[in-house]
């Protein structure tokens, strides 16, 4: 039975990480408490005696940094994400969309982006989104700071790359305009830069539900002047949740999209690439249904992106 | 006579419900709110086998725990009939989660720990998890009394005409099989009980139950107590829907209190409540229709098998519900229905809104559409061709009285724009419309009520009313206000403060949508009797005959000489005892005016041999319901968005129209849930989704526009003609959804729930 004996309320990051280092497995960070209480009820916290409140650490921010990248503090709630303009447009649109599809509102008001990825549940909406958006996770511990790439972050059910003494401080998203420097070099001095778009699709049974399949796609396309031309995909990240022990990328689809023009034909052939793995069954959906929903959600995400690209003002 | 023609002061008006403000301000009293000094907390140890012999129960380790006070086991209760769930298992457990031992301790944590430490040794037996398997030859027999019946606990068979003749004359035979699943009632309030040992050796029980009398008599027989020593109080209930029919836990709580000589509280968790409340019976129903060249059903045979789970509480009533649903609505010359309720080693099948009838209505109304479409006939016209007319006999040989099938069906068809052609929706959405019709049975049982007249003309009502959210406190209050023609504020429903007491008289409580129809007449008769006793005293004062006196709006007057009148307070003894002032007794003074009454309408019984009604009626009245649904199906994901539901229900008389509309809306939502989403998923007899994340319910965001239509064809014996309003509107919903999904996609889904996956994969 979960029987916490102390609630620590650190007001600085240093205090927080020193608490984590002192108590190790005996302690847990508590953020929105929307997952923790359930874990406790299931008997998953029987060894935990100390809770460390993360609400006074000043980690609830969304800002565009001097590096041009978007920085989101770990205790930022879904409600904050769902209404922040940085998370509603361009390359990060999927972030706001995913946040607003998390239901119900009570959970959006309390649940945090940090809690959502730390818990290690492969069917939640943030993990798959962050995977598509190529986010980086900034982590602090008593030993200092480190950055974990999202591709390395999710490990298994209830397991991430975090150590018990690690505190997530923020999640960082690449520049709106893609990771530009390399590309400029590749293009031999051509100053044209790419521009990013993203979309999030969730298929559930009812309006308020966990996903049966969720899918996030981020495409970086060559910036172009005329709308008559189909956008040329430079980089694609296609991520799926609810299919196994962690969110995965569909590298076959990414490969097909990259260096292709995004149009009806590309979208159809990308979506129809056979799903050559068996999605994990659940009491809510069979693998066979999930496979179909993967096709449906990828297709819908790509059409959504094509629409967005076409309605975006071309910048010369 | 005079009052009949006057405008009503309360009946038929949508007055504000009297429990509204107490509830939204958190002041309404529920069982969980009550705490008594020195109260212990109870916890139940449950079986982790679907079927096993109990070899040994060892409480010694648990006993050593500090703060543990008492245990009770199966042997502490009088043995019951094979039918009923024993309060605690005796020799064997017959479903996973069955209560075996109960412990009471100083606090809940200790009680929980103690329950964990109770050791039960089992010898597992092969589980029988499917009714078909359970019925087959060679299966172990679950209850000694069932030897001759292959685990069939209850059976009814109704025959009209000769179906085989009918089939041989038919031009076309259409046969379909339909299935439904176990659902939870999922009322808001989990089950709770509180028992206090009393000085007379008896016990007072607060129980989340559907009726005071049922608890009183069941608990007294389980505990071998004189019924007078079991007093039951039922406070507000946070929803019911059939979840509170099983009263064995009241007995467990009472036994712990009597044994420990301390008050004991037993509060179930959500997951425990889902098991302890029983489930909606899963069913398999096959319907075979023989159709003439002219497109008329001339023969119908229905065979319904319901999974009754481990015990048979209410089993006889339940199969009767199925038969009454099947035998009404349509006139079919050759007809047969066979209903089996079969024992398995699963959670007992219990009541949930329109139990067994819901499943039957789904099957029949689905079949009606399948046949109509096959014949290329409009489903509304096809139904109208077959509906029973008033005066005609239904398939049980009962006269059809006061039904409004045509009106109800036509009304909802019109409201939904049945034949209107509308522009298609944008891909991938496809629109569909579906319709269904049904009749809900009534029920009869004795009810008692009494009222007391106060000197200021206000009335106190003592009636075992159960308020589970439907609004019956308010409805009963309206009857009383009307009877005395006083403002509603002048009526006090005694139950409002502390709940209803078993000591106020017999009451069926809130079940089978019959509370208004059966308790209502008792209340009205009690009011009349109180008025008679006032008239008796006032007659000499006014110098007129008793029968010439009316009591109305706080006044007593002569009907023939209206100028002769007096105030109610003038027939009372006046003065004060406490202040020592002399007691003034007016010449006609009297102490107290009360009226009380019992109401019971006898109903007929089925001959167990041929299933024909032996005498009278199977149900005192029926309630007509029709619904038409418009929805959209996403043909890629299979998601269904219900857009509009037109729902008509003939309640006889809406004592409070707004409350009736609430019942229609709630029933429709519950029906949509059953149609599209709800399912208890079992693995090896264990419920794997006993929580709200995995047991999926629609929310307000999935709620369509619901258009409730109240029809009022009076039921002669009902109060002001009222029938009932609680359950009927759930009957047609699932079939209407299924028929609309076909309209949208061309796919017939014959099993509930109609999930996105089924739509995509079929
Ligand atoms: C009713 C309900 C509906 C839901 N619906 C959805 C939905 O539709 N979609 C969806 O995606 N999710 C849904 N969720 C899940 C929800 O997203 C998660 O519960 C939430 O993201 C957890 O965040 P939290 O801030 O509440 O974390 P907490 O519960 O406080 O913590 C969760 C875990 O993260 C750890 N943690 C928290 N912050 C940090 C940090 N900074 N560094 C290191 N570790 C940390 C904690 O120690 C704990 O182990 C739902 C949950 C509920 C209860």
């Amino acid at each position: 039975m979960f029987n916490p004996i102390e609630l620590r309320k650190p007001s600085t990051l240093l205090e927080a990480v020193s608490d984590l280092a002192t108590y190790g497995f005996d302690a847990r960070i508590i953020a929105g408490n929307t997952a923790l209480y359930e874990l406790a009820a299931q008997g998953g916290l029987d060894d935990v005696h100390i809770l460390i409140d993360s609400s006074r650490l000043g980690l609830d921010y969304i800002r565009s940094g001097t590096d041009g990248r978007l920085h989101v503090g770990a205790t930022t709630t879904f409600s904050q994400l769902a209404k922040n303009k940085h998370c509603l447009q361009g390359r990060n649109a999927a972030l706001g969309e995913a946040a607003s599809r998390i239901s119900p509102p009570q959970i959006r008001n309390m649940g945090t982006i940090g809690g959502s990825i730390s818990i290690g549940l492969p069917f939640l909406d943030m993990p798959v989104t962050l995977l598509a958006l190529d986010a980086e996770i900034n982590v602090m511990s008593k030993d200092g700071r480190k950055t974990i790439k999202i591709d390395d972050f999710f490990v298994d059910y209830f397991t991430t790359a975090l150590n018990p003494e690690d505190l997530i401080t923020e999640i960082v998203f690449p520049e709106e305009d893609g990771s530009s420097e390399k590309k400029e070099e590749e293009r031999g001095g051509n100053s044209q830069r790419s521009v990013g778009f993203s979309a999030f699709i969730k298929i559930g049974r009812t309006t308020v539900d966990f996903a049966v399949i969720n899918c996030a796609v981020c495409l970086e396309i060559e910036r172009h002047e005329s709308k008559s031309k189909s956008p040329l995909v430079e980089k694609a990240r296609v991520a799926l949740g609810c299919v196994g022990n962690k969110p995965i990328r569909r590298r076959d689809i990414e490969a097909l999209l990259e260096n292709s023009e995004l149009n009806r034909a590309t979208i159809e052939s990308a979506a129809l690439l056979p799903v050559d793995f068996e999605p994990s069954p659940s009491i809510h959906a069979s693998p066979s249904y999930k496979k179909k929903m993967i096709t449906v959600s990828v297709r819908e995400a790509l059409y959504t992106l094509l629409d967005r690209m076409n309605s975006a003002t071309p910048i010369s | 006579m005079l009052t009949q023609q006057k405008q009503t002061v309360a009946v038929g008006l949508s007055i504000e419900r009297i429990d509204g403000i107490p509830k939204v301000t958190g002041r309404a009293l529920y069982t969980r709110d009550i705490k008594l000094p020195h109260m212990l907390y109870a916890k139940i140890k449950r079986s982790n086998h679907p079927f096993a012999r109990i070899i040994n129960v060892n409480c010694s380790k648990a006993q050593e725990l500090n703060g543990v006070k008492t245990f009770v086991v199966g042997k502490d209760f009088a043995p019951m009939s094979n039918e009923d769930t024993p309060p605690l298992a005796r020799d064997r457990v017959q479903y996973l989660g069955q209560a075996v031992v109960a412990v009471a301790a100083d606090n809940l944590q200790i009680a929980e720990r103690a329950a964990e430490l109770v050791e039960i040794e089992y010898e597992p037996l092969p589980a029988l998890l499917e009714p078909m398997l359970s019925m087959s030859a060679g299966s172990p027999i679950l209850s000694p009394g069932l030897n001759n019946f292959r685990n069939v606990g209850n059976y009814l068979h109704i025959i009209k005409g000769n179906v085989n003749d009918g089939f041989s004359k038919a031009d076309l035979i259409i046969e379909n099989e339909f299935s439904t699943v176990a659902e939870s009632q999922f009322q808001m309030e989990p089950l709770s009980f509180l028992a206090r040992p009393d000085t007379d050796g008896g016990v007072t029980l607060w129980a989340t139950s559907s009726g005071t009398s049922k608890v009183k008599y069941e608990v007294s027989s389980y505990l071998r107590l004189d019924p007078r020593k079991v007093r039951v109080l039922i406070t507000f209930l946070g929803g019911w829907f059939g979840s509170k029919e099983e009263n064995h836990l009241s007995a467990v709580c009472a036994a712990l209190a009597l044994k420990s000589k301390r008050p004991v509280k037993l509060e179930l968790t959500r997951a425990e409540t889902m098991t302890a409340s029983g489930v909606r019976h899963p069913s398999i129903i096959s319907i075979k229709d023989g159709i003439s060249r002219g497109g008329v059903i001339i023969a119908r045979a229905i065979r319904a098998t319901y999974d009754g789970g481990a015990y048979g509480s209410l089993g006889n009533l339940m199969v009767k519900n199925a038969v009454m649903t099947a035998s009404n609505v349509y006139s079919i010359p050759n007809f047969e229905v066979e209903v089996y309720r079969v024992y398995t080693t699963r959670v007992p099948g219990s009541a949930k809104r329109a139990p067994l009838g819901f499943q039957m209505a789904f099957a029949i109304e689905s079949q009606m559409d399948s046949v109509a479409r096959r014949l290329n006939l409009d489903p509304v016209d096809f139904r109208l061709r077959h509906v029973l007319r008033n005066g005609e006999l239904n398939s049980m040989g009962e006269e059809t009285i006061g039904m409004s099938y045509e009106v109800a069906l036509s009304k909802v068809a019109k409201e939904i724009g049945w034949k209107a052609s509308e522009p298609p929706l944008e891909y991938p959405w496809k629109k569909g419309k579906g319709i269904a019709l049904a009749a809900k049975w009534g029920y009869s049982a004795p009810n008692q009520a009494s009222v007391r007249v106060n000197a200021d003309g206000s009335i106190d009502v003592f009636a075992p009313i159960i308020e589970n959210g439907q609004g019956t406190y308010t409805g009963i209050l309206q009857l009383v206000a009307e009877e005395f023609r006083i403002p509603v504020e002048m009526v006090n429903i005694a139950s409002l403060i502390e709940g209803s007491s078993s000591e106020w008289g017999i009451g069926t409580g809130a079940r089978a949508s019959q509370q208004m129809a059966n308790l209502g007449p008792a209340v009205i008769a009690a009011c009349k009797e109180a008025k008679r006793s006032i008239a008796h005293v006032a007659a000499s004062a006014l110098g007129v005959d008793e029968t010439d006196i009316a009591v109305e709006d706080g006044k007593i007057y002569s009907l023939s000489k209206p100028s002769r009148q007096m105030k109610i307070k003038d027939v009372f003894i006046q003065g004060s005892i406490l202040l020592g002032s002399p007691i003034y007794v007016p010449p006609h003074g009297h102490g107290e005016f009360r009226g009380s009454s019992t109401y019971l309408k006898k109903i007929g019984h089925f001959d167990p041999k041929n299933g024909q009604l032996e005498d009278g009626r199977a149900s005192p009245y029926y309630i007509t319901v029709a619904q038409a649904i418009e929805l959209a199906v996403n043909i890629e994901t299979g998601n269904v968005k219900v857009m509009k539901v037109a729902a008509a229900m003939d309640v006889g008389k809406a004592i409070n129209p707004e409350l009736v509309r609430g019942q229609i809306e709630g029933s429709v939502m519950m029906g949509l849930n059953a149609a599209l989403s709800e399912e208890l998923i079992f693995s090896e007899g264990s419920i794997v989704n006993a929580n709200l994340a995995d047991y999926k319910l629609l929310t307000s965001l999935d709620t369509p526009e619901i258009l409730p239509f109240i029809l009022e064809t009076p039921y002669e014996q009902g109060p002001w003609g009222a029938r009932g309003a609680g359950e009927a509107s759930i009957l047609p919903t699932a079939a209407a959804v299924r028929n609309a999904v076909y309209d949208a996609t061309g796919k017939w889904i014959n099993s509930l729930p109609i999930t996105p996956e089924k739509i995509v994969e079929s």
Side-chain angles (χ1 to χ4, degrees), chain B residues 574-643:
Chain B
Q574 309 266 316
S576 160
I577 301 166
L578 282 181
L579 296 179
S581 50
I583 294 170
Y584 166 71
V585 184
H588 317 288
H590 204 274
E592 199 182 44
F593 299 92
R594 277 178 182 267
S596 57
S597 176
T598 306
Y599 174 82
L600 173 65
K601 174 155 177 55
K602 284 247 159 48
I603 48 173
H605 291 282
F606 290 100
D607 181 332
K609 290 208 189 66
N610 61 13
Q612 288 300 300
L613 264 177
E614 280 200 313
D615 49 37
R617 297 179 60 80
S619 168
Y621 55 86
Y622 292 94
I623 300 159
T624 308
V625 270
Q627 277 167 29
I629 289 182
E630 180 184 74
L631 52 72
V633 181
N634 179 324
I635 58 164
E636 287 198 336
T637 62
N639 284 109
V640 172
K641 198 154 70 190
V642 180
M643 299 185 294

Side-chain angles (χ1 to χ4, degrees), chain B residues 477-759:
Chain B
L477 174 142
Q478 286 174 267
L479 296 181
V480 175
E482 194 61 55
E483 204 47 47
F484 286 91
R485 294 194 64 84
I486 50 178
V488 289
E489 298 76 34
M490 298 286 281
V491 182
N492 313 311
I493 299 291
S495 321
L496 185 68
I497 309 305
E498 280 195 292
S500 288
S501 168
S502 57
E503 306 315 286
W504 296 342
I506 291 173
T508 338
R511 59 167 62 92
S513 318
Q514 53 68 53
Q515 192 164 226
M516 184 50 84
N518 287 319
L519 180 58
V523 170
I524 291 178
C527 293
K528 291 198 192 302
E529 191 186 299
K531 288 197 290 188
R532 267 196 303 276
S533 72
I534 291 173
H536 180 70
V537 171
S540 57
L542 297 177
V544 297
D545 195 71
E546 271 182 58
T547 53
D548 185 38
I549 285 180
V551 178
E552 202 184 297
D553 195 17
K555 290 191 282 288
I556 305 162
Y557 65 91
S558 154
L559 288 166
S560 59
K561 308 182 187 75
S563 63
R564 294 201 185 175
Q565 51 170 276
M566 59 199 289
K567 295 213 171 79
I568 280 193
K569 81 171 190 316
D570 296 333
V571 294
F572 275 83
I573 295 172
Q574 309 266 316
S576 160
I577 301 166
L578 282 181
L579 296 179
S581 50
I583 294 170
Y584 166 71
V585 184
H588 317 288
H590 204 274
E592 199 182 44
F593 299 92
R594 277 178 182 267
S596 57
S597 176
T598 306
Y599 174 82
L600 173 65
K601 174 155 177 55
K602 284 247 159 48
I603 48 173
H605 291 282
F606 290 100
D607 181 332
K609 290 208 189 66
N610 61 13
Q612 288 300 300
L613 264 177
E614 280 200 313
D615 49 37
R617 297 179 60 80
S619 168
Y621 55 86
Y622 292 94
I623 300 159
T624 308
V625 270
Q627 277 167 29
I629 289 182
E630 180 184 74
L631 52 72
V633 181
N634 179 324
I635 58 164
E636 287 198 336
T637 62
N639 284 109
V640 172
K641 198 154 70 190
V642 180
M643 299 185 294
K644 201 182 205 180
V645 181
M649 173 159 72
D650 194 333
V651 295
K653 169 75 187 176
I655 306 292
N656 185 319
E658 196 53 36
L659 291 175
V660 172
R661 283 191 281 271
Q663 289 303 303
I664 295 179
E665 288 172 6
S667 294
V668 165
M669 273 318 284
M670 197 174 249
L672 292 177
N673 263 305
L676 296 168
S677 186
E678 279 186 69
E679 175 172 13
L680 283 170
I681 301 170
F682 288 84
S683 166
E684 305 292 311
S686 149
I687 301 174
V688 297
N689 60 340
N691 63 68
L692 276 163
D694 293 323
Y695 184 85
K696 216 51 225 162
L697 291 169
L698 304 176
T699 68
S700 51
L701 296 176
D702 303 296
T703 305
E705 180 185 6
I706 300 172
L707 306 168
F709 299 105
I710 299 172
L711 306 178
E712 296 185 315
T713 311
Y715 157 53
E716 253 171 46
Q717 318 240 355
W720 293 82
R723 294 161 192 256
E727 300 162 285
S729 289
I730 199 174
L731 289 173
T733 315
V737 168
R738 178 247 186 208
N739 298 339
V741 166
Y742 172 82
D743 190 39
T745 63
K747 294 179 180 185
W748 288 128
I749 314 276
N750 289 347
S751 66
L752 293 184
I754 301 166
T755 58
E757 175 157 355
K758 282 185 195 165
I759 292 176

Side-chain angles (χ1 to χ4, degrees), chain A:
Chain A
M1 202 183 301
F2 179 45
N3 193 10
I5 50 174
E6 195 183 346
L7 175 66
R8 316 258 324 155
K9 297 177 176 175
S11 52
T12 66
L13 291 175
L14 273 176
E15 266 178 79
V17 294
S18 105
D19 277 351
L20 279 170
T22 312
Y23 300 111
F25 282 109
D26 218 24
R28 276 292 178 109
I29 307 252
I30 177 165
N33 194 27
T34 63
L36 215 51
Y37 86 95
E38 177 64 19
L39 207 59
Q42 310 258 329
L45 295 185
D46 290 2
D47 302 331
V48 172
H49 300 105
I50 290 150
L51 293 175
I52 302 169
D53 178 9
S54 61
S55 66
R56 289 169 175 74
L57 302 177
L59 295 178
D60 58 336
Y61 55 81
I62 302 172
R63 61 175 169 247
S64 172
T66 46
D67 53 1
R69 304 194 299 165
L70 183 68
H71 296 247
V72 175
T75 62
T76 305
T77 64
F78 304 128
S79 296
Q80 286 173 290
L81 292 172
K83 57 173 189 265
N84 187 289
K85 71 174 191 325
H86 293 292
C87 312
L88 293 173
Q89 61 195 22
R91 194 185 185 282
N92 294 323
L95 192 54
E97 276 173 324
S100 65
R101 292 296 310 277
I102 291 173
S103 45
Q106 294 90 323
I107 299 299
R108 292 201 291 278
N109 290 339
M110 292 305 293
T112 66
I113 188 168
S116 179
I117 58 171
S118 312
I119 192 87
L121 287 173
F123 53 85
L124 297 187
D125 298 324
M126 280 296 144
V128 65
T129 307
L130 268 50
L131 185 59
L133 295 179
D134 199 9
E136 288 177 355
I137 316 298
N138 283 344
V139 173
M140 194 174 159
S141 72
K142 200 152 173 276
D143 302 332
R145 295 179 184 263
K146 65 181 170 190
T147 296
I148 307 175
K149 295 197 68 69
I150 196 76
D151 284 305
D152 304 326
F153 187 80
F154 301 109
V155 179
D156 201 347
Y157 291 107
F158 296 109
T159 313
T160 64
L162 293 174
N163 295 318
E165 63 271 17
D166 287 343
L167 171 78
I168 299 179
T169 55
E170 63 174 14
I171 293 105
V172 186
F173 298 89
E175 270 182 276
E176 278 274 291
D177 292 359
S179 25
S180 51
E181 293 134 63
K182 239 188 275 150
K183 280 194 194 107
E184 269 182 71
E185 280 164 28
E186 280 166 17
R187 277 199 208 89
N190 186 336
S191 72
Q192 255 190 348
R193 289 159 62 161
S194 61
V195 56
F197 291 89
S198 70
F200 170 83
I201 304 295
K202 175 175 180 174
I203 297 176
R205 294 155 302 166
T206 62
T207 309
V208 175
D209 197 7
F210 287 107
V212 164
I213 283 290
N214 47 15
C215 165
V217 177
C218 179
L219 298 180
E220 281 162 22
I221 58 169
E222 189 187 69
R223 183 166 280 182
H224 59 105
E225 280 145 52
S226 107
K227 273 195 187 178
S228 54
K229 226 170 76 185
S230 294
L232 181 69
V233 178
E234 295 195 328
K235 208 171 139 199
R237 288 177 72 95
V238 178
L240 290 170
C242 310
V243 294
N245 63 351
K246 57 182 178 180
I248 60 156
R249 284 171 62 188
R250 281 292 299 274
R251 291 185 197 265
D252 53 341
I253 298 182
E254 293 173 0
L256 187 147
L257 291 170
E258 284 180 1
N259 301 315
S260 302
E261 286 184 359
L262 191 70
N263 54 33
R264 204 161 248 286
T266 325
I267 291 176
E268 288 301 326
S269 45
L272 290 173
L273 274 179
V275 182
D276 61 358
F277 58 92
E278 188 77 350
S280 53
S282 79
I283 57 169
H284 309 302
S286 68
S288 147
Y289 178 70
K290 281 190 176 181
K291 279 188 171 183
K292 292 192 174 113
M293 292 310 104
I294 290 173
T295 303
V296 168
S297 60
V298 169
R299 181 192 284 127
E300 195 178 332
L302 292 175
Y303 276 117
T304 306
L305 287 168
L306 185 60
D307 271 357
R308 283 186 188 162
M309 290 168 189
N310 287 337
S311 55
T313 17
I315 312 156
S316 43

Side-chain angles (χ1 to χ4, degrees), chain B residues 40-43 59 62-63 67-73 76 101-106 111 114 118 252 255-262 264:
Chain B
L40 303 176
Y41 289 83
K43 188 75 191 174
C59 298
Q63 186 85 64
V68 170
K69 290 293 186 298
T70 292
F71 298 87
V72 287
V73 296
D76 292 318
V101 178
V103 52
D106 283 339
V118 169
V252 171
L256 285 169
L258 289 169
K259 204 164 165 189
S260 65
K261 303 192 168 56
R262 298 262 291 267
V264 173

Side-chain angles (χ1 to χ4, degrees), chain B residues 284-298:
Chain B
I284 299 169
I285 301 175
S286 70
I287 305 183
K288 180 176 173 184
D289 283 347
I291 300 129
S292 74
R293 199 169 298 277
V296 173
I297 301 172
I298 54 170

